[in-house]
Amino acid sequence: VDHDKTAIQHARFKLKNIKDLKLILAEGNKLPFKNQTFDYVTIIGTFANFGEQKYEILKEARRVLKDEGFLIISVYSDEALSERMKVYKSIALDNIGEVRKDGTVVFKDFGKTEVSEQFSEEELREILSKSGFKINNIKRASIAYLLKAGKTIK
């Protein structure tokens, strides 16, 4: 699932040899799936860009995840800023509007604002808890966290 038509087209081209692969154009906060459809929901590398929508998107992930299922997330750690800035400079991003003390980078482009955040383990635990998840396992690898969380059953 991706909200960007160009990303879907690129993925279709790159992954054309994989059978039974479905690439779906949709917004993360309005997933076109029934409740409790998936054993796993993965958010790899994009959680940092959800900004204020992260709670809405996690609510949708929870909705489509089976009660026994798991959410897998990889996201920048709270010590990633210097490495992220090196990458942004190496690809000549010239639309950085602001770099906040908490490591949030604000991009200004075409009249809209986009962000790239980083998180501490404590922040991730709080965000996921507020969204109805409990982290089962969290590992820090260099500038990122990889976590596995299950639904908290109400």
Side-chain angles (χ1 to χ4, degrees):
V1 173
D2 201 304
H3 74 279
D4 185 324
K5 190 175 185 176
T6 303
I8 293 287
Q9 290 170 339
H10 182 72
R12 279 198 178 109
F13 176 76
K14 288 285 195 183
L15 304 170
K16 63 187 171 199
N17 295 327
I18 299 177
K19 295 179 181 180
D20 299 326
L21 179 68
K22 292 183 183 180
L23 299 169
I24 297 169
L25 182 65
E27 295 292 332
N29 59 351
K30 296 176 187 164
L31 296 172
F33 307 109
K34 293 179 183 176
N35 294 352
Q36 297 193 35
T37 299
F38 299 103
D39 294 313
Y40 291 90
V41 171
T42 59
I43 303 173
I44 306 299
T46 56
F47 189 79
N49 306 112
F50 293 162
E52 294 300 318
Q53 288 191 325
K54 68 180 145 280
Y55 291 101
E56 245 183 279
I57 291 168
L58 287 171
K59 180 180 176 182
E60 268 297 272
R62 190 179 192 291
R63 181 186 68 77
V64 301
L65 188 65
K66 292 178 182 177
D67 286 344
E68 313 79 33
F70 293 101
L71 173 68
I72 308 293
I73 297 178
S74 74
V75 66
Y76 291 125
S77 75
D78 51 341
E79 294 184 14
L81 183 60
S82 64
E83 290 301 314
R84 291 168 51 216
M85 294 307 292
K86 287 179 193 174
V87 170
Y88 300 152
K89 288 177 184 173
S90 75
I91 60 174
L93 281 180
D94 58 359
N95 61 339
I96 295 173
E98 176 186 3
V99 179
R100 298 180 184 155
K101 288 180 183 178
D102 67 356
T104 299
V105 178
V106 180
F107 298 96
K108 304 273 186 197
D109 201 17
F110 306 110
K112 62 181 180 178
T113 301
E114 301 288 340
V115 300
S116 178
E117 298 178 285
Q118 59 186 36
F119 302 92
S120 68
E121 181 175 336
E122 183 180 311
E123 288 170 318
L124 289 168
R125 288 187 184 282
E126 183 179 326
I127 290 165
L128 277 111
S129 177
K130 283 182 180 179
S131 303
F133 290 98
K134 182 177 191 279
I135 295 176
N136 299 87
N137 196 347
I138 185 167
K139 298 279 185 196
R140 185 177 184 147
S142 184
I143 63 168
Y145 286 108
L146 181 62
L147 68 85
K148 176 181 175 184
K151 291 167 87 171
T152 52
I153 306 301
K154 298 176 181 179

